[in-house]
Amino acid sequence: RMKLDSPEVLSNFEAHRVHLRALAYRMTGSLADAEDVLQEAFVRWANQSTGVIEKPRAYLSTLVTRLCLDHLSSARVRRESYVGPWLPEPILDEQSVGVEAKAELASDITVALLLALERLSPLERAAFLLHDVFDCDYDEVARTIERSEQACRQLVARARQGVRERRPRYHPNDEQISQILGAFAQATLGNLEPLSQVLAEDAVFYSDGGGKVASATRPILGRERIVKFVQGVLRKFPLDGSQVITPARVNGLPGFVIHRGKQVIRTVAFDVEAGLVQNVYQVNNPEKLTHLAWPVPTPPASGVH
């Protein structure tokens, strides 16, 4: 019999929700899909006899990982027909997908890392996340994805190589961030010179509209093209008085949010190398912004760090 309304079942699940959401978001690149996975995991959890599960966290992690692997096989098909560049759903509240693990990558939810994960096979992604981000032993990874320990070691080694090649290592200081955000703010007012000064010569601009709103359907390569693109967009779609640009951390990166009241219209995040913007990640697809509210909720003092 369904025990969805049992306080014990609910509290046991809720105790691990942040951890499970963190895992599912990194697996799927989508907070909406992560929540769907968690909902399905909760239903399955509620149908189990909780008394026989000695390690609820390990059990739930396995369940969520396997549900994500199922999801990724169907997501591949949808992704192939996606209009324009695909970017992960932006996160403004980093604590909502926090990880307690001490691993080097644990707090990393940058777009570059999520795109690097996206290029891995689903099994590589699962093995890498469980071992390198969530501190699981290889025997636990092997049980979770139903492969041998040796196979898991190989999966993680391959994944590490792919992630290492694409993950940024540079962290801009406050002065550089302020200069970059100021340059983009100036651009919205029609002054494009500061923008060209903060962009790397080989910078890339990714715009994810998903075919729902006007966006560049291919990445824009190079400083000059990006400046011309921004100029053209602002000419066609000038910001009106109802839209507010506010600096924000987007997936742990410097950036800003354009919002109308509480509704987020667009997020922009910057990958910075040696003080210059290397990549611009702009999400316009309204379906990827519905989970966001502005201002970002203030976490409780006892939140996960």
Side-chain angles (χ1 to χ4, degrees):
R1 192 178 73 81
M2 289 283 281
K3 302 189 296 295
L4 291 172
D5 56 350
S6 159
E8 185 188 5
V9 168
L10 183 60
S11 65
N12 280 340
F13 187 86
E14 287 299 320
H16 304 290
R17 178 179 283 277
V18 172
H19 162 76
L20 299 172
R21 188 196 290 120
L23 173 59
Y25 174 69
R26 286 161 175 80
M27 281 289 290
T28 62
S30 161
L31 204 58
D33 290 345
E35 291 295 350
D36 287 346
V37 165
L38 261 60
Q39 198 168 349
E40 175 63 23
F42 177 67
V43 171
R44 296 192 186 194
W45 164 256
N47 279 316
Q48 294 290 336
S49 170
T50 54
V52 300
I53 298 171
E54 290 179 12
K55 297 179 178 176
R57 185 186 179 98
Y59 173 87
L60 286 166
S61 294
T62 298
L63 180 56
V64 164
T65 301
R66 290 178 183 171
L67 287 169
C68 285
L69 288 170
D70 291 344
H71 166 83
L72 287 173
S73 59
S74 62
R76 294 248 160 205
V77 178
R78 293 203 309 274
R79 205 63 53 78
E80 282 164 14
S81 59
Y82 196 82
V83 178
W86 180 93
L87 294 174
E89 279 182 17
I91 292 287
L92 302 177
D93 176 11
E94 293 168 56
Q95 290 199 320
S96 69
V97 289
V99 182
E100 302 101 317
K102 301 291 187 289
E104 180 206 350
L105 289 164
S107 62
D108 192 335
I109 51 166
T110 59
V111 185
L113 176 66
L114 292 167
L115 288 176
L117 293 176
E118 185 69 15
R119 294 182 181 101
L120 304 177
S121 74
L123 281 176
E124 284 172 347
R125 194 188 308 198
F128 173 79
L129 286 170
L130 289 169
H131 185 270
D132 278 24
V133 177
F134 292 89
D135 288 343
C136 294
D137 296 332
Y138 276 113
D139 63 333
E140 194 177 335
V141 177
R143 284 196 302 274
T144 299
I145 66 171
E146 299 175 299
R147 296 293 187 276
S148 70
E149 279 192 47
Q150 181 58 31
C152 290
R153 287 177 190 276
Q154 290 171 351
L155 286 167
V156 172
R158 280 203 302 271
R160 274 182 193 148
Q161 190 175 351
V163 168
R164 197 179 296 125
E165 287 168 3
R166 296 182 173 91
R167 189 168 162 253
R169 288 169 171 69
Y170 183 87
H171 298 286
N173 60 40
D174 290 346
E175 188 181 339
Q176 290 167 336
I177 292 171
S178 178
Q179 185 183 6
I180 289 162
L181 296 179
F184 273 82
Q186 283 289 310
T188 64
L189 300 172
N191 180 9
L192 293 153
E193 182 56 34
L195 178 59
S196 63
Q197 290 175 4
V198 298
L199 288 169
E201 193 175 345
D202 58 349
V204 186
F205 188 110
Y206 300 89
S207 182
D208 179 343
K212 314 287 181 194
V213 293
S215 294
T217 53
R218 287 193 178 87
I220 298 159
L221 312 177
R223 177 196 294 146
E224 289 180 23
R225 286 179 178 170
I226 293 172
V227 171
K228 281 181 183 170
F229 172 76
V230 171
Q231 189 175 29
V233 168
L234 290 168
R235 196 180 298 128
K236 275 187 192 172
F237 308 103
L239 294 179
D240 59 46
S242 69
Q243 298 171 0
V244 181
I245 302 176
T246 307
R249 283 177 68 81
V250 181
N251 284 76
L253 296 172
F256 56 82
V257 169
I258 297 180
H259 56 101
R260 184 183 289 115
K262 291 184 178 181
Q263 183 195 2
V264 175
I265 302 164
R266 183 176 304 138
T267 64
V268 182
F270 305 110
D271 251 344
V272 182
E273 291 282 340
L276 294 174
V277 175
Q278 198 65 51
N279 297 297
V280 183
Y281 303 111
Q282 177 174 283
V283 177
N284 305 328
N285 184 346
E287 291 181 1
K288 291 190 173 184
L289 302 171
T290 52
H291 66 284
L292 300 178
W294 192 263
V296 178
T298 305
S302 59
V304 177
H305 295 286

